[in-house]
Each structure stands twice: as structure tokens, then as C-alpha cells.
Amino acid sequence: MITITENAAKYINSYLTKRGKGLGVRLGVKTSGCSGMAYNLEFVDEANEDDLIFEEHGARVYIDPKSLVYLDGTQVDYTKEGLQEGFKFENPNVKDSCGCGESFHV
């Protein structure tokens, strides 16, 4: 299960409106960084047959079954802290992450 905060949903829906198309965002993982894995986020214009779809506050997050193993239980948020803003992932499966916060290990 993936949860989407109200802030994340507002940002996703706002960006899709500005973009003029799209069903939601796809959240996945890829091999990268010093800890082994990194989050990958992209727009979805067409769903894949095996996508798992999580919807809250009117926003949809699409996940492929292979990524769900690493992302199950994750909360997707969107935050602004000073000059930094972006998506924040609270993933209970993460055992360790790199110092820069760009990659993680499960």
C-alpha cells in the first residue's frame, strides 16, 4: 500500500493541469547512488497492464509490481523547507541511506 499526502496530491494535480495531460505519476526504484537504490518518479500518460494504482485526495500513483516490494508502506509527501522543495518519501523498508539522501538500501 502507498499513501499520498494532501500536499503531494495538490502538487501532482496542479502539475498535471499545467502539463495539460497525464493520469498521475509513476513511482519506482532503480539501481543508483552510493546506497544501491534511488526513487524514480515520472508522469503517466498511459497505464501499463500490470500497474498497481493507489489514489488519495484525487491523485494517482502508479507502481509496477517489482517496485512494490521495495515501496510497500511508503508515504509520498511534497514539502517546502527553506529553499528546498520536492517529493519526500517515508519508506518503512529503508534500512540505510546515503549522507546526501539520494539513495537508500532495503
Side-chain angles (χ1 to χ4, degrees), residues 62-99:
Y62 294 75
I63 298 181
D64 68 272
K66 291 179 183 177
S67 292
L68 186 61
V69 173
Y70 304 105
L71 298 171
D72 194 26
T74 296
Q75 179 187 64
V76 180
D77 194 9
Y78 190 84
T79 62
K80 285 185 179 184
E81 297 172 3
L83 298 175
Q84 302 285 330
E85 71 177 279
F87 285 100
K88 183 177 180 182
F89 306 101
E90 294 293 331
N91 185 342
N93 303 303
V94 171
K95 303 293 184 227
D96 193 21
S97 61
C98 67

Side-chain angles (χ1 to χ4, degrees), residues 11-96:
Y11 185 81
I12 291 167
N13 290 329
S14 170
Y15 208 88
L16 289 173
T17 299
K18 288 179 192 173
R19 190 171 176 257
K21 64 179 181 175
L23 302 173
V25 294
R26 179 177 311 285
L27 176 60
V29 294
K30 62 180 179 176
T31 303
S32 179
C34 44
S35 289
M37 302 185 104
Y39 297 105
N40 186 42
L41 199 62
E42 60 189 19
F43 291 106
V44 175
D45 292 327
E46 194 173 308
N48 295 329
E49 188 176 297
D50 61 345
D51 279 339
L52 301 164
I53 304 168
F54 300 90
E55 184 172 354
E56 264 185 290
H57 309 289
R60 290 186 193 125
V61 173
Y62 294 75
I63 298 181
D64 68 272
K66 291 179 183 177
S67 292
L68 186 61
V69 173
Y70 304 105
L71 298 171
D72 194 26
T74 296
Q75 179 187 64
V76 180
D77 194 9
Y78 190 84
T79 62
K80 285 185 179 184
E81 297 172 3
L83 298 175
Q84 302 285 330
E85 71 177 279
F87 285 100
K88 183 177 180 182
F89 306 101
E90 294 293 331
N91 185 342
N93 303 303
V94 171
K95 303 293 184 227
D96 193 21

